[in-house]
Amino acid sequence: MSHAPDPAAGGPSRPAGLDPNLEAEVSEGLPPGFGPGVMGRVAFWLAVAFSLFQLWAAAYGTLPSQVVRAMHVGFLLLLGFGLVGNLVAKTRGGQAFFWLLGLMGFGTGLYQWIEYTQILRRTGFLNQTDLIVGTVLIVLVFEGARRLMGWPLAVIAGCFLAYCFFGQHLPPPFIHRGYGFEQIVEHFAFGTEGIYGSPIYVSSAYIFIFVVFAAFLERAGMLNLFNDFALGMVGAARGGPAQVATLASALMGTISGSGVANVVASGQFTIPMMKKSGFKPAFAGGVEATASMGGQIMPPVMGAVAFIMAETLNVPYARVVQAAIVPAVLYFGVVFWMVWLQAGRDNLKGLPKESLPNPWAAVRAQWPLVLPLAALVYLLFAGYTPIFAGTMGLALVTVLILGAPLAALIGPYVFRLFFWIVLGLGAASFLRYGVDLLAIIIAGLIALCALFKGTRPTIGIIRDALAQGARNALPVGIACAIVGVVIGTLTLTGIASTFIGAIIAIGQNNLFLSLLLTMLTCLVLGMGIPTIPNYIITSSLAGPALLELGVPLLVSHMFVFYFGIMADLTPPVALACFAAAPIAKSTGLKISMQAIRLAAAGFIIPFMAVYTPSLMLQDGGAIAEAYGYPVEVAFVLLKTVMGVGLWGIAVVGYFLDRTTLPERLLALAAGVSLILALPMSDGAGFLLGGLFIALHLMRVRRLAAA
């Protein structure tokens, strides 16, 4: 255990928001950091306080859920507007104005906490102060979302809010009975149907914990471990640098769940390496963007949407992970395959094997970092709640970071080993004795680190990770807050039933058209808003409609989730591609076109899952009834792999050698036949695929002989 990473080397002990290791943070709409001077330090410590409050609320759960949600939004507004003041405002007056807005936002949370019992008693009969506080909250959430997320999401939510006020003047079928100002304010600013609805509950209960957990693992050196492991595993393969980018992003996605953050964190290392080995800048950026976005569907942590999905569908989180496993493997398999084909076409080799690290040596040297992630996976699949699993995983990585420099002070190896065994047994006993024991252990480790000069910087690493986690959670949290306005409109007015009826009417004649309409809705919405609000809005509208058409609810939600991710690769916005642009030194549009090409086969996987739900390990069909469920899963997986593989060959124009136009058309026809869920299409697909392989092999052998 003496080889555990030394967190003391990972960052400075100064608290300013000015830690250079935090400068790579990405937060939509804001420059990195916390700002200069005194107010920068105030924002930094406010972020630390935000994280500590959320961890305390998650660990002990003594506050009512409504209060936790209100304080979560209050902290989001205070920190968000404070950072806008520090990083965007040009004058002292502007800075003071934004901090005032933040304090007002925080005040709305305190008001909900102080008046919690009285507000419950006044339900339906709010007083004047309640209405003022509620109005201020709605206005500040809109302004905060505009500042942090840009105009599109605020405009979309504003249209929904305007519909509540003026929908009674619209023609059928959009007309509603009309609602008063007091009723609208109460619906959106109080209770659990509007801003404090399910999305903000998931943000406060699950997402925040896992964002901080990822920040702690990154500070402990997990990103370096992933990069070393990926280099050693696939660096020598054809197109090695791009394969490294894909594997590193997949591994990073297991703990991060943020596509844009993955692009910035991994891309600094992988994109220059790809360019140096011969890949074009746009292709290098496209590989990183495509692989990084896949992190949102990569178990065990996945993206924030997975937690929202579990809460919305009222299913265990493990069921969502189960449904995502095969599509996630296929997604990254497609990227590996497309890179392999492109590298073959461009005659690009791998990296020299002697220059690469030994992947297993990297794991042996830093294996303690894997323990918190392993504990998290165990707890998630053992039936514990994501709140408990995330909190315990975070506590364990904190123990690891604090314990490493203390262990380094112990001379003989036997005593170091004894120290880690005792510490490990104490930390693991939380399952029996609860969170209090872990809190005592962490407090004791902090006290010990404070005693020795060489270990004091480790406390700074914990502090910095808390601040970084809170800052990274800002865009997600504010998006969940404002999307509550959209959900609140759907529940108040019932307009969702109109949209659902339209999709059902289309789907009665053709389910494929309904799926196509849903996909286009996701892609169009995704041009302006992030994956989380995109999923929430589209699933609220399309999920029940697709259920009526016979699509399992979990599959329909995964369908929406999948295309919400694809939207971040689709022009003209393509957020992940534009994040990669300055690193690749190419345009976001060129990178986006390459990303679509790389993920082309990935666009068809959700459609296949709808027609064959066993691809997401859901209920079987006719093959399962005749031959058993494992046979159906194996057949569907074989069909999908072959289909997307042939599709990729048709797109790139290369297999064992460059393909001719007739061969590309044959591969395309075979891939399409395998994708279609028609009685004769599978047989035709396998036949055409076999014919393509045979013709291509014969031509390649003739060329080799010549």
Side-chain angles (χ1 to χ4, degrees):
M1 297 294 288
S2 61
H3 296 291
D6 182 6
S13 59
R14 66 183 188 277
L18 327 172
D19 177 355
N21 288 318
L22 299 181
E23 293 301 308
E25 299 165 28
V26 173
S27 188
E28 284 85 346
L30 287 178
F34 289 88
V38 174
M39 296 313 294
R41 287 176 171 79
V42 170
F44 179 91
W45 286 107
L46 176 62
V48 174
F50 187 9
S51 291
L52 291 175
F53 169 79
Q54 289 292 159
L55 293 174
W56 172 74
Y60 291 98
T62 55
L63 289 178
S65 175
Q66 179 79 3
V67 171
V68 174
R69 301 181 200 196
M71 291 303 297
H72 184 71
V73 174
F75 269 114
L76 288 171
L77 293 173
L78 178 55
L79 181 59
F81 281 119
L83 290 177
V84 171
N86 288 355
L87 301 170
V88 178
K90 305 295 185 184
T91 65
R92 291 278 186 179
Q95 185 183 42
F97 172 73
F98 284 115
W99 274 100
L100 176 62
L101 292 183
L103 289 170
M104 291 170 63
F106 189 71
T108 63
L110 287 177
Y111 183 81
Q112 293 264 5
W113 191 350
I114 295 168
E115 292 286 310
Y116 173 68
T117 305
Q118 296 302 319
I119 289 173
L120 288 180
R121 293 173 180 170
R122 292 196 295 267
T123 299
F125 303 94
L126 297 183
N127 61 31
Q128 195 69 26
T129 306
D130 296 336
L131 294 175
I132 292 172
V133 171
T135 304
V136 167
L137 172 65
I138 295 171
V139 171
L140 291 179
V141 165
F142 269 90
E143 178 61 10
R146 185 183 73 83
R147 291 283 178 178
L148 296 175
M149 309 298 294
W151 278 101
L153 183 55
V155 169
I156 291 171
C159 291
F160 276 83
L161 183 62
Y163 177 69
C164 294
F165 281 102
F166 307 112
Q168 67 270 27
H169 304 300
L170 296 177
F174 303 105
I175 190 171
H176 60 64
R177 63 182 181 84
Y179 306 96
F181 178 80
E182 294 83 0
Q183 186 177 0
I184 292 173
V185 170
E186 180 171 6
H187 185 76
F188 287 110
F190 298 89
T192 57
E193 294 290 336
I195 290 171
Y196 299 138
S198 179
I200 209 66
Y201 164 70
V202 176
S203 175
S204 63
Y206 306 155
I207 297 172
F208 193 96
I209 303 300
F210 282 88
V211 170
V212 175
F213 176 71
F216 268 70
L217 281 178
E218 287 180 41
R219 300 289 293 179
M222 183 64 90
L223 183 58
N224 293 332
L225 172 59
F226 286 157
N227 286 338
D228 288 346
F229 183 79
L231 270 171
M233 288 296 292
V234 296
R238 180 201 288 175
Q243 306 286 24
V244 169
T246 304
L247 182 56
S249 295
L251 292 171
M252 194 62 197
T254 61
I255 62 168
S256 170
S258 172
V260 177
N262 279 5
V263 169
V264 175
S266 302
Q268 303 282 355
F269 160 72
T270 57
I271 292 176
M273 184 172 61
M274 284 187 272
K275 290 172 62 180
K276 188 177 179 181
S277 71
F279 286 102
K280 294 177 181 177
F283 186 82
V287 170
E288 182 58 46
T290 307
S292 292
M293 291 311 300
Q296 296 188 65
I297 58 167
M298 189 66 184
V301 175
M302 302 174 61
V305 170
F307 298 105
I308 297 174
M309 189 187 302
E311 183 67 26
T312 302
L313 300 180
N314 195 27
V315 298
Y317 179 73
R319 277 199 60 194
V320 177
V321 171
Q322 174 187 318
I325 287 174
V326 175
V329 172
L330 287 172
Y331 180 95
F332 284 102
V334 166
V335 181
F336 278 118
W337 177 241
M338 298 293 280
V339 166
W340 190 83
L341 294 173
Q342 187 68 42
R345 178 173 177 167
D346 296 341
N347 197 28
L348 298 175
K349 308 298 182 185
L351 297 169
K353 197 160 190 178
E354 60 275 7
S355 67
L356 300 176
N358 184 321
W360 303 113
V363 173
R364 284 195 300 272
Q366 304 183 72
W367 66 267
L369 289 174
V370 181
L371 295 178
L373 189 59
L376 175 69
V377 174
Y378 167 75
L379 292 172
L380 285 174
F381 284 91
Y384 292 93
T385 65
I387 301 176
F388 182 81
T391 306
M392 293 304 103
L394 179 57
L396 291 176
V397 76
T398 304
V399 169
L400 176 67
I401 293 173
L402 292 170
L406 291 172
L409 297 176
I410 302 173
Y413 174 77
V414 174
F415 291 116
R416 283 202 305 274
L417 183 62
F418 179 74
F419 170 81
W420 280 115
I421 291 173
V422 171
L423 189 59
L425 290 174
S429 62
F430 71 87
L431 284 173
R432 180 169 183 179
Y433 298 107
V435 69
D436 285 340
L437 180 61
L438 259 182
I440 292 170
I441 291 173
I442 291 172
L445 289 173
I446 291 174
L448 287 174
C449 286
L451 287 177
F452 302 100
K453 187 176 181 180
T455 58
R456 286 172 195 158
T458 312
I459 302 174
I461 289 174
I462 300 298
R463 178 204 60 214
D464 290 348
L466 289 170
Q468 180 185 350
R471 195 190 192 287
N472 291 350
L474 265 181
V476 179
I478 205 70
C480 287
I482 195 167
V483 86
V485 173
V486 176
I487 304 302
T489 300
L490 299 180
T491 58
L492 181 65
T493 65
I495 185 61
S497 60
T498 303
F499 187 86
I500 292 167
I503 293 182
I504 292 173
I506 295 170
Q508 283 175 345
N509 299 318
N510 194 325
L511 173 60
F512 180 77
L513 285 179
S514 289
L515 295 173
L516 197 62
L517 176 63
T518 304
M519 180 193 77
L520 291 174
T521 302
C522 290
L523 294 179
V524 171
L525 276 176
M527 292 179 186
I529 62 177
T531 308
I532 294 170
N534 186 352
Y535 161 76
I536 294 171
I537 295 170
T538 313
S539 65
S540 300
L541 295 170
L546 294 177
L547 179 64
E548 289 290 327
L549 297 172
V551 181
L553 196 55
L554 183 55
V555 173
S556 67
H557 279 247
M558 288 296 294
F559 182 91
V560 170
F561 182 15
Y562 217 100
F563 282 111
I565 293 169
M566 294 292 108
D568 276 336
L569 303 175
T570 308
V573 177
L575 186 61
C577 299
F578 279 90
I583 307 172
K585 293 182 172 57
S586 181
T587 66
L589 186 59
K590 287 182 180 178
I591 292 174
S592 178
M593 298 309 296
Q594 291 293 338
I596 290 175
R597 192 160 162 267
L598 283 162
F603 277 86
I604 64 178
I605 294 172
F607 284 92
M608 297 189 72
V610 168
Y611 288 104
T612 53
S614 53
L615 189 62
M616 290 186 178
L617 304 181
Q618 302 301 299
D619 295 338
I623 297 177
E625 291 179 9
Y627 303 103
Y629 186 70
V631 174
E632 175 167 313
V633 172
F635 173 76
V636 170
L637 191 56
L638 172 65
K639 185 178 84 158
T640 307
V641 168
M642 190 168 178
V644 297
L646 290 164
W647 188 292
I649 291 169
V651 170
V652 176
Y654 184 91
F655 182 34
L656 301 177
D657 199 344
R658 286 179 180 265
T659 54
T660 62
L661 180 59
E663 287 175 348
R664 291 179 77 169
L665 293 175
L666 188 59
L668 179 63
V672 170
S673 298
L674 288 167
I675 292 160
L676 298 174
L678 300 175
M680 302 296 293
S681 63
D682 290 344
F686 284 116
L687 184 63
L688 291 173
L691 181 60
F692 159 77
I693 293 172
L695 292 174
H696 185 74
L697 278 173
M698 286 190 292
R699 188 175 65 82
V700 169
R701 284 174 180 170
R702 282 199 306 270
L703 289 173

